[in-house]
């Protein structure tokens, strides 16, 4: 299997912590393994990459955070967290190891929205594994600092073209 045995960070010891920059079809994924940061871009018809996420400060405004009990760990640039990344044939993986607490595997998996048309959608799949000695409850949060709509009054709109003006939660993607 391509997924490392979770809870065993040593499986990743042989993985070099060099920068990853990979294009899958219309998707470009960049990772700074030592920092645990990443960026996602769209590749246009001219083969030029247009960033979807902010690339300021080595991508640090986009991140995952893990809550274990009352403690919250920001998974990049933290002394409590070791990070590694690797490029496989069909995906990019980042593992965040929170010492004695948990391992968080983040996988960037390109997919085709239409069979045979090339990669144009990115699925982000996460797995949290308890590495502590006791049972624990975890929550994983992802903040994506997009550059989409920066010139518009509102960044996001519903399918009915109604602007989203404050925090919103959608339980389904089906149109009502």
């Amino acid at each position: 299997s391509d997924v490392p045995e979770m809870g065993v960070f040593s499986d990743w010891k042989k993985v070099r912590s060099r920068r990853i920059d990979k294009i899958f079809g219309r998707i470009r994924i960049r990772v700074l393994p030592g920092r645990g940061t990443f960026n996602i871009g769209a590749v246009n018809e001219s083969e030029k990459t247009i960033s979807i996420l902010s690339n300021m400060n080595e991508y640090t405004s986009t991140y995952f955070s893990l809550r274990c009990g009352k403690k919250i760990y920001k998974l990049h640039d933290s002394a409590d967290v070791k990070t590694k990344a690797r490029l496989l044939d069909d995906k990019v993986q980042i593992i965040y190891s929170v010492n004695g607490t948990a391992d968080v595997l983040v996988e960037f998996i390109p997919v085709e929205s239409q069979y045979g048309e090339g990669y144009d959608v990115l699925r982000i799949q996460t797995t949290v594994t308890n590495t502590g000695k006791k049972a624990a409850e975890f929550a994983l949060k992802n903040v994506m600092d997009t550059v989409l709509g920066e010139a518009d009054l509102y960044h996001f709109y519903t399918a009915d073209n109604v602007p989203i003006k404050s925090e919103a939660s959608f339980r389904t993607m089906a149109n009502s």
Side-chain angles (χ1 to χ4, degrees):
S1 167
D2 288 336
V3 177
E5 171 113 10
M6 294 303 294
V8 184
F9 191 67
S10 61
D11 286 355
W12 284 60
K13 293 269 188 232
K14 60 187 169 219
V15 175
R16 291 196 180 128
S17 286
R18 60 179 181 230
R19 193 177 289 248
I20 294 173
D21 188 345
K22 177 68 175 171
I23 295 175
F24 294 96
R26 295 284 169 214
I27 303 162
R28 186 173 190 176
I29 305 167
R30 295 176 178 144
V31 178
L32 301 176
R35 298 199 72 169
T37 58
F38 59 91
N39 193 296
I40 300 167
V43 180
N44 67 16
E45 297 79 20
S46 305
E47 303 300 320
K48 183 178 178 186
T49 300
I50 300 154
S51 282
I52 294 170
L53 302 177
S54 173
N55 57 18
M56 301 290 287
N57 298 320
E58 296 183 308
Y59 321 138
T60 56
S61 59
T62 293
Y63 60 90
F64 283 89
S65 60
L66 178 73
R67 188 185 77 207
C68 178
K70 293 181 179 182
K71 184 140 186 178
I72 297 175
Y73 301 91
K74 206 168 187 180
L75 295 182
H76 72 285
D77 256 358
S78 170
D80 294 330
V81 181
K82 294 179 190 172
T83 62
K84 291 253 184 181
R86 65 183 180 182
L87 172 64
L88 301 173
D89 290 339
D90 59 346
K91 62 186 156 189
V92 173
Q93 296 177 318
I94 302 175
I95 192 164
Y96 301 92
S97 185
V98 183
N99 193 22
T101 303
D103 284 348
V104 179
L105 175 68
V106 178
E107 298 181 281
F108 299 90
I109 306 166
V111 296
E112 297 178 322
S113 61
Q114 292 186 325
Y115 181 74
E117 295 295 316
Y119 297 121
D120 59 351
V121 174
L122 187 63
R123 184 177 84 198
I124 300 175
Q125 181 173 299
T126 60
T127 306
V128 178
T129 302
N130 184 351
T131 60
K133 293 178 172 56
K134 298 187 278 185
E137 202 169 291
F138 297 99
L140 185 66
K141 176 181 174 179
N142 179 225
V143 173
M144 298 264 194
D145 183 10
T146 69
V147 295
L148 304 173
E150 291 296 325
D152 294 335
L153 185 57
Y154 299 104
H155 297 297
F156 300 103
Y157 294 83
T158 66
D160 299 327
N161 211 22
V162 175
I164 298 174
K165 298 178 182 179
S166 62
E167 186 173 322
S169 178
F170 298 96
R171 300 287 180 220
T172 177
M173 289 289 130
N175 287 337
S176 329

